[in-house]
Amino acid sequence: MITTALLNILKLFLPSWNFFNDFSTSHRLDERTIRAGHESDWQPIREDHSTRSIGRLFFNSRGNLELLENTFIDRAAQEIAVSSAEGVKHFEQGALHDSLVRILRRRIGAAQAGDEFQFRLVSTNPSELDAELFVSSRYPARKEIL
């Protein structure tokens, strides 16, 4: 009981540490690119990081950005989970959806003209098969500037 309380306190103060691997269900954002009509395989946008350095616990700007992105992913999954078919359409027109599109455009980086991408939200659980929650439309990899 005391060790559980101490573990929870450490989770609060050291969020980059891999304490969060014990939750059963989590959400993942996958992306695929479409170049010249050929679709790549779905790839998760987050890399699996292990905490090998004590410095990563205290100064980790990239990890903090990934935690922020994961917050958007979790909120989007929650919004879709409580929505009907009309709610999904509302999600596609909302700010969370736009944030996920911007996150993916930033991660894709150097895309060629005409490249597109799609994303999907997936619910993962170690004891079950992954459940696909949402698959987006195709979007241009480069934002059109008018």
Side-chain angles (χ1 to χ4, degrees):
M1 177 114 174
I2 293 174
T3 49
T4 303
L6 290 174
L7 188 63
N8 287 334
I9 290 170
L10 284 174
K11 286 180 188 179
L12 290 172
F13 290 106
L14 301 171
S16 295
W17 208 353
N18 288 335
F19 284 120
F20 301 106
N21 294 338
D22 59 347
F23 290 123
S24 59
T25 300
S26 62
H27 301 102
R28 185 180 74 228
L29 185 65
D30 295 341
E31 62 88 18
R32 70 174 167 193
T33 54
I34 300 102
R35 179 172 286 157
H38 300 326
E39 298 175 344
S40 68
D41 292 332
W42 289 107
Q43 299 291 322
I45 68 159
R46 286 186 37 200
E47 302 162 9
D48 184 27
H49 295 294
S50 60
T51 305
R52 298 180 194 273
S53 151
I54 192 79
R56 184 171 179 261
L57 296 175
F58 301 105
F59 181 73
N60 184 12
S61 58
R62 183 175 175 196
N64 290 337
L65 178 60
E66 287 181 358
L67 288 172
L68 176 64
E69 291 172 353
N70 202 45
T71 300
F72 284 115
I73 293 165
D74 287 339
R75 285 186 181 175
Q78 289 171 355
E79 187 172 313
I80 289 170
V82 297
S83 299
S84 61
E86 175 131 344
V88 171
K89 189 174 187 178
H90 177 72
F91 167 73
E92 289 178 316
Q93 298 169 351
L96 276 173
H97 182 271
D98 293 343
S99 295
L100 295 179
V101 170
R102 282 193 305 272
I103 288 168
L104 285 161
R105 274 200 181 110
R106 184 182 53 80
R107 284 188 176 257
I108 289 172
Q112 298 175 1
D115 288 356
E116 296 178 310
F117 71 92
Q118 274 185 293
F119 67 90
R120 70 178 179 179
L121 285 166
V122 178
S123 177
T124 62
N125 187 323
S127 62
E128 299 174 12
L129 294 175
D130 291 352
E132 196 172 85
L133 301 175
F134 174 80
V135 177
S136 75
S137 303
R138 291 181 175 193
Y139 296 97
R142 284 202 240 173
K143 179 146 177 120
E144 302 295 323
I145 301 173
L146 302 175

